[in-house]
Amino acid sequence: MRLPKKIRQERLKAKIEETPFITDEALAEHFTVSIQTIRLDRMELSIPELRERIKSVATDQWNETVKALPIDEVIGEIIDLELDKRAISILDITQDHVFSRNAIARGHHLFAQANSLAVAVIDDELALTAKADIQFSRQVKQGERVIAKAQVESIDRHRRTLVKVDSYVDNELVFSGHFTMFRSTDK
Amino acid sequence: MRLPKKIRQERLKAKIEETPFITDEALAEHFTVSIQTIRLDRMELSIPELRERIKSVATDQWNETVKALPIDEVIGEIIDLELDKRAISILDITQDHVFSRNAIARGHHLFAQANSLAVAVIDDELALTAKADIQFSRQVKQGERVIAKAQVESIDRHRRTLVKVDSYVDNELVFSGHFTMFRSTDK
């Protein structure tokens, strides 16, 4: 059953406040309206598109530079970064990322996004992955947007850095990993 | 110091028997001769090239068909397969697989080879990765050939299969992973 426009817009606003990383596609499904309707609602309510919302949610504008690899070698788009602290990236799952048979994202692409973010967050010219413990908590489908958040958990004297990466689709956890990274210089 | 040809060929034969997955490049380096010399030595000694050697080391010829995904979606080339038991694949590390800065293979490509082999070995139409614990034990460089060996360790009643994958360059362990896979049907 479709809601009256006014009620839908109120609920839409509440929904986006509650889950700021939700896509227009997911909102359209939630309210059983077209994506176009959601876009018009957002414009009338002056709610920016997802990418802009993510940027404003990120506590700082990212003003640091990835050191450990050229930025175009990061898998996904980095939208927030504080070296040796945290980083966020977005990866849109396209046909290139899925099994042809069932349109489910292949594990190594989620791994690649998370692992390259774990490399990118390191404040060093050289960062290599030594170990990773990862979990895939739900399937990701073609068309979904994965938001990976990396958090540096510890840096020890043996040039070892522990980075936790959690990846979400519409605020639902889809992947999590603990990465043990080596760097070239002591902290 | 270069060895006399006869002695070199004897030692070459012994070396290949000891480490059958060694590349011509590694042999050339080991004996401080050119790759061309190694190839001529092999021809004179009737020792087949690496790819053929790997195939003959594989205990059975692989006469089973990958079920869980189309064969061209496997990362690397499968050269041996016994469903729900074991599988072997080869991946040649090219410029596409390495960090531009230091020509070291990116972790997610080694992960992709191992993970897709863990999928391919499953005797089911659907196989999904639930968990993985992985270790990168030494850096892999551009030009090296990675041989991944998957071994199915257990299949339980809850449609969960544990697969161990070890990857080698010239018989040296470079990557190992324990993958927990889900399948669609009970065994």
Side-chain angles (χ1 to χ4, degrees):
Chain A
M1 203 196 65
R2 290 180 73 142
L3 297 166
K5 179 173 168 181
K6 194 159 177 295
I7 296 177
R8 183 185 67 234
Q9 289 195 345
E10 273 167 22
R11 293 198 187 166
L12 178 70
K13 206 175 155 202
K15 181 80 184 165
I16 292 177
E17 270 164 19
E18 188 191 315
T19 57
F21 292 165
I22 195 165
T23 58
D24 286 349
E25 289 74 10
L27 287 167
E29 202 172 302
H30 184 79
F31 290 104
T32 55
V33 295
S34 70
I35 293 173
Q36 187 56 23
T37 303
I38 295 294
R39 283 192 194 133
L40 290 170
D41 280 354
R42 278 201 297 94
M43 276 169 67
E44 286 179 28
L45 295 164
S46 305
I47 298 174
E49 60 152 338
L50 176 62
R51 199 162 289 245
E52 294 307 313
R53 293 203 300 278
I54 296 168
K55 282 185 182 161
S56 70
V57 165
T59 50
D60 289 349
Q61 287 304 316
W62 78 285
N63 47 14
E64 302 213 63
T65 312
V66 174
K67 276 196 185 171
L69 75 177
I71 188 79
D72 62 354
E73 294 188 10
V74 177
I75 315 293
E77 186 195 348
I78 291 196
I79 55 152
D80 190 37
L81 176 71
E82 196 175 345
L83 287 173
D84 276 348
K85 293 227 168 95
R86 60 191 169 66
I88 298 176
S89 80
I90 296 177
L91 181 68
D92 287 314
I93 301 300
T94 68
Q95 204 178 349
D96 296 342
H97 300 111
V98 301
F99 288 108
S100 61
R101 199 174 277 179
N102 49 24
I104 294 173
R106 305 192 61 174
H108 65 264
H109 294 298
L110 301 188
F111 177 82
Q113 179 188 17
N115 191 25
S116 68
L117 196 61
V119 170
V121 77
I122 304 286
D123 186 9
D124 203 304
E125 300 289 318
L126 180 73
L128 291 170
T129 310
K131 256 186 65 169
D133 293 341
I134 61 177
Q135 268 187 294
F136 297 91
S137 28
R138 88 132 159 93
Q139 295 161 23
V140 177
K141 291 282 203 170
Q142 186 173 334
E144 291 188 315
R145 169 168 290 172
V146 181
I147 295 163
K149 300 182 186 181
Q151 189 80 37
V152 174
E153 296 202 317
S154 70
I155 304 172
D156 73 13
R157 275 172 303 178
H158 308 292
R159 306 187 296 178
R160 215 166 44 186
T161 304
L162 297 182
V163 184
K164 173 101 166 39
V165 182
D166 290 317
S167 300
Y168 300 86
V169 170
D170 296 337
N171 276 25
E172 197 182 341
L173 189 70
V174 295
F175 170 97
S176 64
H178 281 94
F179 293 85
T180 306
M181 312 296 296
F182 277 102
R183 58 172 73 216
S184 59
T185 47
D186 291 325
K187 263 295 166 189
Chain B
M1 204 199 63
R2 290 178 73 140
L3 296 166
K5 179 174 167 182
K6 193 160 178 294
I7 294 177
R8 183 183 68 234
Q9 290 196 343
E10 273 166 21
R11 293 199 186 166
L12 179 70
K13 206 176 155 202
K15 182 82 185 163
I16 291 177
E17 270 163 19
E18 187 191 318
T19 57
F21 292 166
I22 195 165
T23 58
D24 286 350
E25 288 74 11
L27 287 167
E29 202 172 303
H30 183 80
F31 291 103
T32 55
V33 295
S34 70
I35 292 172
Q36 188 55 22
T37 302
I38 295 293
R39 286 194 191 130
L40 290 170
D41 280 354
R42 277 202 297 95
M43 276 168 66
E44 287 181 29
L45 295 164
S46 304
I47 297 173
E49 60 154 337
L50 176 62
R51 198 164 290 244
E52 295 307 314
R53 294 204 298 278
I54 295 167
K55 282 186 185 161
S56 69
V57 165
T59 50
D60 290 351
Q61 287 304 314
W62 78 286
N63 47 13
E64 304 213 64
T65 312
V66 174
K67 276 197 183 171
L69 75 176
I71 189 80
D72 62 351
E73 294 189 8
V74 177
I75 315 291
E77 186 195 348
I78 291 196
I79 55 150
D80 190 37
L81 176 71
E82 197 175 344
L83 288 173
D84 275 348
K85 294 232 168 91
R86 59 190 170 68
I88 298 176
S89 80
I90 297 178
L91 181 68
D92 287 314
I93 301 300
T94 68
Q95 202 178 352
D96 295 342
H97 300 111
V98 301
F99 288 109
S100 60
R101 199 175 278 179
N102 49 25
I104 294 173
R106 305 191 61 174
H108 65 266
H109 294 297
L110 302 188
F111 177 82
Q113 179 188 17
N115 191 25
S116 67
L117 196 61
V119 171
V121 78
I122 303 285
D123 186 9
D124 203 304
E125 299 290 316
L126 180 73
L128 291 170
T129 311
K131 257 186 65 171
D133 292 341
I134 61 177
Q135 268 187 296
F136 297 92
S137 27
R138 88 132 160 93
Q139 295 161 25
V140 176
K141 291 283 203 171
Q142 186 173 333
E144 291 186 314
R145 169 168 290 172
V146 181
I147 295 161
K149 300 183 187 180
Q151 189 80 37
V152 174
E153 297 203 318
S154 70
I155 303 172
D156 73 15
R157 276 171 303 179
H158 308 294
R159 306 189 294 179
R160 215 166 44 187
T161 304
L162 297 182
V163 184
K164 173 102 166 36
V165 182
D166 290 318
S167 301
Y168 300 87
V169 171
D170 298 336
N171 276 23
E172 197 182 341
L173 189 70
V174 296
F175 171 97
S176 64
H178 281 94
F179 293 85
T180 306
M181 311 297 297
F182 277 102
R183 58 173 72 215
S184 58
T185 47
D186 290 325
K187 262 296 165 188

